Amino acid sequence: MVSIDLNCDLGESFGRYRLGEDAAMMTLISSANVACGFHAGDPDVMAETVDLAKQNGVALGAHPGYPDLQGFGRRDMALSGEEISNSILYQLGALSGFAQAAGIPLVHVKPHGALYNRAVRDPIAAEAIAQAVKRFDPALILVGLAGSALIAAGEAIGLATANEGFPDRAYLPDGNLMPRGQYGAVITDPDAVAANALKLAREGIAVAGERIAMDTLCLHGDNLRAVANARAVRTTLEEAGIVIKPLA
Amino acid sequence: MVSIDLNCDLGESFGRYRLGEDAAMMTLISSANVACGFHAGDPDVMAETVDLAKQNGVALGAHPGYPDLQGFGRRDMALSGEEISNSILYQLGALSGFAQAAGIPLVHVKPHGALYNRAVRDPIAAEAIAQAVKRFDPALILVGLAGSALIAAGEAIGLATANEGFPDRAYLPDGNLMPRGQYGAVITDPDAVAANALKLAREGIAVAGERIAMDTLCLHGDNLRAVANARAVRTTLEEAGIVIKPLA
Amino acid sequence: MVSIDLNCDLGESFGRYRLGEDAAMMTLISSANVACGFHAGDPDVMAETVDLAKQNGVALGAHPGYPDLQGFGRRDMALSGEEISNSILYQLGALSGFAQAAGIPLVHVKPHGALYNRAVRDPIAAEAIAQAVKRFDPALILVGLAGSALIAAGEAIGLATANEGFPDRAYLPDGNLMPRGQYGAVITDPDAVAANALKLAREGIAVAGERIAMDTLCLHGDNLRAVANARAVRTTLEEAGIVIKPLA
Amino acid sequence: MVSIDLNCDLGESFGRYRLGEDAAMMTLISSANVACGFHAGDPDVMAETVDLAKQNGVALGAHPGYPDLQGFGRRDMALSGEEISNSILYQLGALSGFAQAAGIPLVHVKPHGALYNRAVRDPIAAEAIAQAVKRFDPALILVGLAGSALIAAGEAIGLATANEGFPDRAYLPDGNLMPRGQYGAVITDPDAVAANALKLAREGIAVAGERIAMDTLCLHGDNLRAVANARAVRTTLEEAGIVIKPLA
């Protein structure tokens, strides 16, 4: 029996600013990556989002990013390895404050935006993130792009890791994501997204001739079309007999 | 045998800005209240300060404040009870990230600045703080001004509490601190500070005719004179046979 | 010939967070109060909003607030008079950077949220704001609640002032706004809002037996219903022969 | 008669955090580069620093940086050209608020830290800065590293520019600064700093065989040794008959 996790970045509102279809997405996913107040989220939003995850039985994960609210954590910042480690410890801790209050465990960690992208190739950033996760709680699962430096760094120090795929993104023959600027890089049609999800779940990707199985698929949740895509992905996977369940 | 705790607010540097004689103070106190990034402190400073506490065998506590770095948490802000609770959960969690990484426990919580002062009299703020502490970890000790609403709120929900006194501040006959603006409110001579510390440790204060014993004395650590004061207090207390030890 | 100004708070987006129907509102108003980066707005949003005002021939004003993005400037903060003055100078200057770049003048200043409310009654805040405006540019027009301490403070030092009214709010017999919590305080029906606007434009309000004429009416722009209200107000005023034009 | 400008980065305190020997440096320099609240400085510090410049007859300049207080603007951030332009307009405007209030003109602009370094080689950043300065006020003087892309970008659009040198830094034969990490890169002896200043003032540097004259020398002001260095530089230059005066 094949199973896979469906994850989504949530809790990205801030103060009066509302972002994301969190309530709808929580009914469609198995894991929530919750923003921790650096690139998005604030204490009130985090409390709300952790409660929402608890109510929906969705596994809780941290989604730490660069300290850049204006740039939504999408602009690279030249933090040193030590600065990255400490910013990860801070954000994991902050989210765990709400997890403890709600009585649910923190299950996984997935870096956000420019930090996620940097950790695909930069071994210093990748190791800084992995080490911080291990020091905080060695039982946490580290989520990263399938085949990335981040996954390698986690494995190297004995963390459980999860290879992530993107159903709404096209892949190059070498297993890398097609850069966003390129024609066809982003898939918008729900059926095509669902078909891609099914392919990723069944076959994984091939990187340097080696097959990498997918542990989790990322669903976007920041617009109504995204909710339709998520619904299509979930239905298609379930109809194909694939079980949706959190990482473990 | 009489014993008392000596505490100090530490880890209040930020980025390139250095503040406080943390290394010297750590050798003189039994409990450190560490800033959590809202009114002062940042992830790197917190990592450093938690390590310093560990090396010196000083009990670690959280020192959460209002989200106002420019005002150093000293300007009152009209946060609701729920906003206060969530900001406390966030900050407790953030500091616990470094405590977990260092392998030392979080022992106590003491609010900072304008939030501390508000919790002396405002029952909504006091209860919001106490509830957040309890939800995060019911074994934490809540530190507040002796006889304050904060102590009452902690006791009402079953938290361990610690009455705090200020050796470098004059007290009014009713047990309140003399307001800072008034002549004689702040004691600067090391001998006078030490004498006041001894009196507080031995006799406590009288509030509404009732004696309140002191559990912990606050030593300031933000200038070199403060270090001299702290040294005088510690020596005087020890020579009087009073044991300096953390809250428990 | 009767004339009146219609103003709206705009430019309150931040980074990826979008807020307000700015493009629609710009076609309906004569004056824009643009957020300056403290309670809302960022440099990119300000550039965009100033350009939008220029394209629509809308008079540009500054909308400075407390430095509290998370609270959207709606939580009171205990800033001193001097801190208020300096934060106003900073924000007026920041917006004037974009006005200079776009080649359009800054015409008026209207404080935001909790700062606006504080300046209704607190003479220290009112004078701090008025003095900062005068020091920055004595030709600027100071906008405040009709009959407020802010208007009095502006007049006392020789600034041009503008009394503001709220068509979507009910007024008490004494000329004060009915507090938001009370039943009927907020008017939602477009026709009722338009009727209130017409009454305010024609009759003003009576404070302590004295009639105060309205110089400007505030239209909200943060939802689609607000746009409908604004359209109803504009149409009703114009059909009644009242000319909509900026303050001068 | 040879003349040169002596500049210093000032106003880099923030809230309770004090940094820099501003009062001492103001008596030794001819131009002050004042932080604008992004990498350092706040409205109160800016008001104070502009007043100090006015009292000392020191020419006022803006010192805009990346929006990264924790990193003191020293960590590179992947802002686009448009984001850089807008952040410069914002900061120039903000400082001009205090200049207008004090009745003194803004004379020059010098980017800070990682933004300054990026503009040495990155033509997109260089042009974004130069264009923002020109749009804000085409009479402002743009200060950059002698021979940098920033100077070229300013000249290309008709701005007055000023080549800057660093008396406490060693130069490579090709006219570049020796990287900080290298042995001998930073000069600490006051006599050696003064001798370097004299050489830079008289001979400038040679870049690609071409001599570049220095318009301004940067003196650091963030420690007491720096003040001694500044004093030595000023005395040595004056004794050699070189007139210290602001850019014009």
Side-chain angles (χ1 to χ4, degrees):
Chain A
M1 192 189 74
V2 182
S3 74
I4 201 155
D5 176 52
L6 295 180
N7 78 72
C8 182
D9 305 342
L10 295 169
E12 300 192 321
S13 294
F14 182 86
R16 199 186 159 195
Y17 301 112
R18 297 286 107 182
L19 187 71
E21 301 293 325
D22 289 24
M25 292 305 295
M26 281 288 191
T27 66
L28 297 168
I29 58 175
S30 40
S31 293
N33 320 309
V34 179
C36 302
F38 274 35
H39 76 278
D42 67 37
D44 302 313
V45 169
M46 289 162 78
E48 215 176 84
T49 310
V50 168
D51 281 350
L52 207 55
K54 185 182 179 182
Q55 287 160 27
N56 287 274
V58 165
L60 182 67
H63 194 44
Y66 281 129
D68 177 22
L69 185 67
Q70 192 197 330
F72 201 67
R74 289 179 171 170
R75 308 188 289 204
D76 204 19
M77 289 182 73
L79 268 66
S80 70
E82 195 181 347
E83 289 173 324
I84 290 174
S85 270
N86 289 332
S87 77
I88 297 287
L89 282 174
Y90 186 96
Q91 293 178 76
L92 292 185
L95 184 64
S96 79
F98 298 96
Q100 277 180 225
I104 61 171
L106 211 58
V107 176
H108 65 280
V109 179
K110 171 183 160 182
H112 168 84
L115 184 58
Y116 182 95
N117 292 336
R118 181 169 162 195
V120 169
R121 284 188 187 78
D122 175 355
I124 290 174
E127 204 195 323
I129 295 167
Q131 288 287 2
V133 170
K134 187 178 181 186
R135 291 179 65 206
F136 183 76
D137 179 356
L140 288 173
I141 302 165
L142 181 59
V143 178
L145 188 69
S148 64
L150 183 59
I151 294 295
E155 285 175 352
I157 61 171
L159 283 176
T161 58
N163 281 306
E164 182 179 37
F166 292 85
D168 62 359
R169 292 291 298 279
Y171 280 82
L172 298 172
D174 67 356
N176 278 315
L177 290 172
M178 187 182 290
R180 267 179 190 276
Q182 255 170 269
Y183 178 78
V186 177
I187 307 173
T188 54
D189 175 62
D191 291 342
V193 174
N196 204 23
L198 188 57
K199 187 165 182 290
L200 286 168
R202 281 183 170 153
E203 303 169 23
I205 54 169
V207 173
E210 207 178 332
R211 187 185 163 275
I212 299 181
M214 289 295 153
D215 302 304
T216 185
L217 299 180
C218 180
L219 301 176
H220 292 108
D222 46 6
N223 56 60
L224 285 169
R225 182 173 55 71
V227 176
N229 285 347
R231 225 169 250 134
V233 167
R234 180 162 191 125
T235 305
T236 300
L237 292 178
E238 288 181 334
E239 286 175 0
I242 296 170
V243 176
I244 312 299
K245 61 173 195 182
L247 301 167
Chain B
M1 192 190 73
V2 182
S3 72
I4 201 157
D5 175 52
L6 295 180
N7 79 71
C8 183
D9 305 343
L10 295 170
E12 300 193 320
S13 294
F14 182 85
R16 197 185 161 196
Y17 300 112
R18 297 287 106 182
L19 187 71
E21 301 292 324
D22 289 23
M25 293 305 295
M26 282 287 190
T27 67
L28 298 167
I29 58 175
S30 40
S31 292
N33 321 310
V34 178
C36 303
F38 274 36
H39 76 279
D42 67 37
D44 301 313
V45 169
M46 289 163 77
E48 216 176 83
T49 310
V50 168
D51 281 349
L52 206 55
K54 185 183 180 182
Q55 287 159 27
N56 287 274
V58 165
L60 182 67
H63 194 43
Y66 281 128
D68 177 22
L69 186 67
Q70 193 197 329
F72 201 67
R74 289 179 169 169
R75 308 188 288 205
D76 205 18
M77 290 181 73
L79 269 66
S80 70
E82 194 181 347
E83 289 172 325
I84 291 174
S85 269
N86 288 333
S87 79
I88 297 287
L89 281 174
Y90 186 97
Q91 294 179 76
L92 293 184
L95 184 63
S96 79
F98 299 96
Q100 276 179 227
I104 61 172
L106 211 57
V107 176
H108 66 280
V109 179
K110 172 184 159 182
H112 168 84
L115 184 59
Y116 181 95
N117 292 335
R118 180 169 163 196
V120 170
R121 283 188 189 76
D122 175 355
I124 290 172
E127 204 195 324
I129 296 168
Q131 287 287 4
V133 170
K134 187 178 181 184
R135 290 179 66 205
F136 182 75
D137 179 357
L140 289 173
I141 302 165
L142 181 60
V143 179
L145 188 70
S148 63
L150 183 60
I151 295 294
E155 284 174 354
I157 61 170
L159 283 176
T161 59
N163 281 306
E164 182 178 38
F166 292 84
D168 62 358
R169 293 291 298 278
Y171 281 81
L172 298 172
D174 66 357
N176 278 315
L177 291 172
M178 186 182 290
R180 268 178 190 275
Q182 254 170 273
Y183 177 78
V186 176
I187 307 173
T188 54
D189 175 62
D191 290 341
V193 174
N196 203 24
L198 189 57
K199 188 165 181 291
L200 286 167
R202 280 184 170 150
E203 302 169 21
I205 55 169
V207 173
E210 207 180 329
R211 185 184 165 276
I212 298 181
M214 288 296 152
D215 302 303
T216 185
L217 300 180
C218 180
L219 302 176
H220 292 109
D222 48 5
N223 56 60
L224 286 169
R225 182 171 57 71
V227 176
N229 285 348
R231 227 170 247 134
V233 167
R234 179 160 192 128
T235 305
T236 299
L237 293 178
E238 288 181 334
E239 285 174 0
I242 295 169
V243 176
I244 312 299
K245 61 173 196 182
L247 300 166
Chain C
M1 190 191 74
V2 182
S3 73
I4 201 156
D5 175 53
L6 295 180
N7 79 71
C8 183
D9 304 343
L10 296 169
E12 300 192 321
S13 293
F14 181 85
R16 198 187 159 193
Y17 301 112
R18 299 285 105 183
L19 187 71
E21 301 293 325
D22 289 24
M25 292 305 296
M26 281 288 190
T27 66
L28 297 168
I29 58 175
S30 40
S31 293
N33 321 309
V34 179
C36 302
F38 274 35
H39 76 279
D42 66 36
D44 302 313
V45 170
M46 289 163 77
E48 215 177 85
T49 311
V50 168
D51 282 349
L52 206 56
K54 185 182 179 181
Q55 287 159 28
N56 287 274
V58 165
L60 182 67
H63 194 45
Y66 281 128
D68 178 20
L69 184 67
Q70 192 197 331
F72 201 67
R74 289 178 171 171
R75 308 188 290 204
D76 204 19
M77 290 181 74
L79 269 66
S80 70
E82 194 180 347
E83 289 173 323
I84 290 174
S85 270
N86 288 332
S87 77
I88 297 288
L89 281 174
Y90 186 96
Q91 293 179 76
L92 293 185
L95 184 64
S96 79
F98 298 96
Q100 277 180 227
I104 61 172
L106 211 57
V107 176
H108 65 280
V109 179
K110 171 184 161 182
H112 168 84
L115 184 59
Y116 181 94
N117 292 336
R118 182 170 163 194
V120 170
R121 284 187 188 78
D122 175 355
I124 289 173
E127 203 195 324
I129 296 168
Q131 287 287 3
V133 171
K134 186 178 181 185
R135 288 180 67 206
F136 182 75
D137 179 356
L140 288 172
I141 302 165
L142 182 59
V143 178
L145 188 70
S148 64
L150 183 59
I151 295 294
E155 284 174 354
I157 61 171
L159 283 176
T161 59
N163 281 306
E164 183 178 36
F166 292 84
D168 62 0
R169 293 291 298 279
Y171 281 81
L172 297 172
D174 67 357
N176 278 313
L177 291 172
M178 186 181 292
R180 267 179 192 275
Q182 254 170 272
Y183 177 77
V186 177
I187 307 173
T188 54
D189 175 63
D191 291 341
V193 174
N196 204 22
L198 188 58
K199 187 165 182 290
L200 286 167
R202 280 183 170 154
E203 302 170 23
I205 56 168
V207 174
E210 206 179 332
R211 186 185 164 275
I212 299 181
M214 288 296 152
D215 302 303
T216 184
L217 300 180
C218 180
L219 302 177
H220 292 107
D222 47 6
N223 56 59
L224 285 169
R225 182 172 55 71
V227 176
N229 285 347
R231 225 170 250 133
V233 167
R234 180 162 191 126
T235 305
T236 300
L237 292 178
E238 288 181 336
E239 287 175 359
I242 296 170
V243 176
I244 311 300
K245 61 173 196 182
L247 300 167
Chain D
M1 192 190 72
V2 182
S3 73
I4 202 157
D5 176 51
L6 294 180
N7 78 71
C8 183
D9 304 344
L10 295 170
E12 300 193 319
S13 293
F14 182 85
R16 199 188 158 194
Y17 300 112
R18 297 286 107 182
L19 187 72
E21 301 294 324
D22 289 23
M25 293 305 295
M26 281 287 191
T27 66
L28 297 168
I29 58 175
S30 40
S31 292
N33 320 310
V34 178
C36 303
F38 274 35
H39 76 280
D42 67 36
D44 301 313
V45 169
M46 289 163 77
E48 217 176 84
T49 311
V50 168
D51 281 349
L52 206 56
K54 185 182 180 183
Q55 287 159 27
N56 286 273
V58 165
L60 182 67
H63 194 44
Y66 280 128
D68 178 21
L69 185 66
Q70 192 196 330
F72 201 67
R74 288 179 171 170
R75 307 189 289 204
D76 204 19
M77 290 181 73
L79 269 65
S80 69
E82 194 180 348
E83 288 172 324
I84 291 174
S85 270
N86 288 333
S87 78
I88 296 287
L89 281 174
Y90 187 96
Q91 293 179 76
L92 292 185
L95 184 63
S96 79
F98 299 96
Q100 276 179 227
I104 61 172
L106 211 58
V107 176
H108 66 279
V109 179
K110 171 184 160 182
H112 169 84
L115 184 58
Y116 181 95
N117 292 335
R118 181 170 163 193
V120 169
R121 284 189 188 77
D122 174 355
I124 290 173
E127 203 194 324
I129 296 168
Q131 288 286 3
V133 170
K134 186 178 182 186
R135 289 179 66 205
F136 182 76
D137 179 357
L140 287 173
I141 302 165
L142 181 60
V143 178
L145 189 70
S148 63
L150 183 60
I151 295 295
E155 284 175 353
I157 60 171
L159 282 176
T161 59
N163 281 306
E164 182 178 38
F166 292 84
D168 63 359
R169 293 291 299 277
Y171 281 82
L172 298 173
D174 68 356
N176 278 315
L177 291 172
M178 186 182 291
R180 267 179 191 276
Q182 254 170 273
Y183 177 77
V186 177
I187 307 173
T188 55
D189 175 62
D191 291 341
V193 175
N196 204 24
L198 189 57
K199 187 165 183 288
L200 286 168
R202 279 185 171 152
E203 303 170 21
I205 55 169
V207 173
E210 206 178 331
R211 186 185 165 275
I212 298 180
M214 289 294 153
D215 301 303
T216 184
L217 300 179
C218 180
L219 302 176
H220 291 109
D222 47 6
N223 55 60
L224 286 169
R225 182 171 57 70
V227 177
N229 284 348
R231 226 169 248 133
V233 166
R234 180 161 190 125
T235 306
T236 299
L237 292 178
E238 288 181 335
E239 286 176 0
I242 295 170
V243 177
I244 312 299
K245 61 173 196 182
L247 301 166

